[in-house]
Amino acid sequence: MPEETPSPRRVLVTGGAGFIGSHTVDQLLAQGDEVLVVDSLATGKIENLDSASAFSSFRFEQLDVARSDAFCRTTEAFRPHAIIHLAALVSVQESIQNPALNFERNVLATQSVIDAAQRCQVENVVFASSAAIYGDNPDLPLKESAEKRPLSPYGGAKLASEALLLAAANTYHFTVTANRYFNVYGPRQDPKSPYSGVMSIFLDRFTQGIAPTVFGDGAQTRDFINVQDVARMNVLAASSTLPGFHAFNVCTGKATSLLDIIDVLREHFPNVPETTFKEARAGDIIHSLGSPESARGKLGFRAQVSLNEGLAHYLQTTTSVTSQLP
Ligand code: UD1
């Protein structure tokens, strides 16, 4: 007899006030789970949890996950069935400028999650990994087994975390899913830094009537996946019963160029001035594309939101927020 999933489940989400985290929290609450968010608010925003805070099954604690003892105490008090570990230093550029901070937030924090999971016998751990671990591997579409060539301390830390989690899964026998996100986009993504996700920057510019800047010729492609799909994969993985460690690409398997995105945005904003082209960024990858086959075969996960639908919804949300501004 397959083991019954207890309902409601208690799920601890680190980094739950962030872009991907808050969407994951919304989906967990909607399906009836009890959720505790642990977030230092270093980059996460409490406003991202506005809809979550309407649920009586939702709790929030401001805490840095890398503070191992405190995090263990919090985990012990909540006794989660699953931990979804999304808290991280998310900027590749910042990881290059401050590798020690990257180590603390992206490696030590993972060890802290492992310690807590082991001590509290958490059955299931989900980890936010990244396509950054593949670096510029040209063997597209990238399968999970592709050679890992991280090109930044950020990519290195994600790979190191996967190794720690693999060893922990083998040692302590819990289920671990490492989700390797490709280019995630959608509402609540912060467009403020020049190194923010390109989609958030383009949307921000188009809605303000400013021409987008393309680094290179715009023919570079990415595997863009909507944050709703990414959150769904996190939720699915949190109740995975696959034993041991599994890593999955979280992607669509479809390549889209920057020029394609600009074409779609121009349909919505025909009066925005012509695109500005600048020299390609040093170290920029031309093409990135993932194979979604493994996640489909083993977890039944398939991205559902098309780029057109995802962009239209993102635009609706962004313009309704912009129109509320004084
Ligand atoms: C993304 C991730 C990064 C990860 C990498 C590897 C983000 C923000 N970055 O980088 O963490 O290491 O995948 O998988 O998710 N661009 C413009 N104009 C702009 C901004 C960007 O032309 O205003 C270009 C960039 O030069 C690049 C492309 O758009 O060619 C995508 O950029 P970006 O969204 O930063 O993502 P990645 O470079 O793929």
Side-chain angles (χ1 to χ4, degrees), residues 92 131-132 183 195 197-198 201 213-215 220 222 258 281 284:
V92 171
N183 289 68
Y195 293 96
V198 66
I201 296 177
T213 301
V214 165
F215 301 112
Q220 65 263 53
R222 294 293 184 269
L258 297 192
R281 280 176 173 169
D284 208 359

Side-chain angles (χ1 to χ4, degrees), residues 7-324:
S7 184
R9 282 162 51 88
R10 286 182 301 280
V11 184
L12 193 161
V13 184
T14 76
F19 162 50
I20 296 175
S22 59
H23 287 279
T24 304
V25 168
D26 288 343
Q27 289 191 17
L28 289 165
L29 290 167
Q31 73 173 20
D33 288 334
E34 252 181 74
V35 178
L36 170 64
V37 166
V38 172
D39 197 303
S40 69
L41 298 181
T43 49
K45 295 193 193 98
I46 202 73
E47 309 88 85
N48 287 343
L49 294 167
D50 278 351
S51 42
S53 54
F55 284 78
S56 59
S57 47
F58 169 77
R59 275 186 269 165
F60 173 80
E61 190 171 327
Q62 186 171 358
L63 176 70
D64 182 346
V65 179
R67 289 183 48 212
S68 186
D69 287 343
F71 182 67
C72 259
R73 281 196 297 277
T74 296
T75 308
E76 264 165 359
F78 186 58
R79 293 184 299 109
H81 298 97
I83 299 179
I84 304 182
H85 176 42
L86 309 176
L89 179 142
V90 291
S91 161
V92 171
Q93 204 52 31
E94 200 177 352
S95 82
I96 295 167
Q97 281 151 4
N98 195 344
L101 187 67
N102 170 64
F103 182 78
E104 183 182 314
R105 294 206 184 146
N106 286 340
V107 184
L108 281 184
T110 303
Q111 186 57 50
S112 179
V113 168
I114 292 170
D115 293 344
Q118 189 253 326
R119 207 147 92 191
C120 304
Q121 292 167 328
V122 178
E123 299 149 15
N124 197 310
V125 176
V126 180
F127 171 62
S129 189
S130 168
I133 68 173
Y134 300 117
D136 59 358
N137 187 325
D139 196 10
L140 307 182
L142 291 159
K143 291 202 174 116
E144 285 79 355
S145 56
E147 190 193 343
K148 314 301 179 294
R149 303 183 186 177
L151 294 172
S152 63
Y154 172 83
K158 289 292 179 188
L159 189 55
S161 288
E162 282 201 15
L164 291 172
L165 286 160
L166 166 64
N170 290 338
T171 312
Y172 309 118
H173 310 292
F174 42 72
T175 291
V176 177
T177 310
N179 284 332
R180 297 176 181 162
Y181 308 142
F182 278 66
N183 289 68
V184 187
Y185 73 95
R188 302 180 191 155
Q189 190 169 29
D190 188 356
K192 295 288 175 308
S193 143
Y195 293 96
S196 297
V198 66
M199 205 79 103
S200 67
I201 296 177
F202 280 2
L203 242 82
D204 192 48
R205 294 199 150 222
F206 271 93
T207 51
Q208 292 187 59
I210 306 169
T213 301
V214 165
F215 301 112
D217 60 6
Q220 65 263 53
T221 57
R222 294 293 184 269
D223 188 329
F224 289 102
I225 181 158
N226 190 269
V227 69
Q228 290 296 343
D229 280 324
V230 173
R232 204 161 45 76
M233 177 62 176
N234 288 337
V235 172
L236 199 63
S239 50
S240 163
T241 49
L242 296 172
F245 175 94
H246 293 269
F248 294 112
N249 289 337
V250 181
C251 61
T252 64
K254 294 194 183 80
T256 306
S257 74
L258 297 192
L259 296 180
D260 289 340
I261 294 168
I262 290 175
D263 282 349
V264 176
L265 290 173
R266 279 213 183 281
E267 284 172 23
H268 295 269
F269 301 96
N271 299 326
V272 168
E274 284 303 308
T275 304
T276 311
F277 288 87
K278 289 199 175 156
E279 212 171 304
R281 280 176 173 169
D284 208 359
I285 296 167
I286 311 272
H287 298 294
S288 166
L289 181 66
S291 162
E293 296 308 323
S294 182
R296 193 172 295 169
K298 291 189 181 146
L299 276 188
F301 171 77
R302 192 189 285 263
Q304 289 172 352
V305 183
S306 72
L307 194 72
N308 277 334
E309 281 166 358
L311 266 179
H313 177 252
Y314 191 2
L315 272 170
Q316 246 174 20
T317 332
T318 312
T319 39
S320 65
V321 171
T322 317
S323 64
Q324 286 164 21

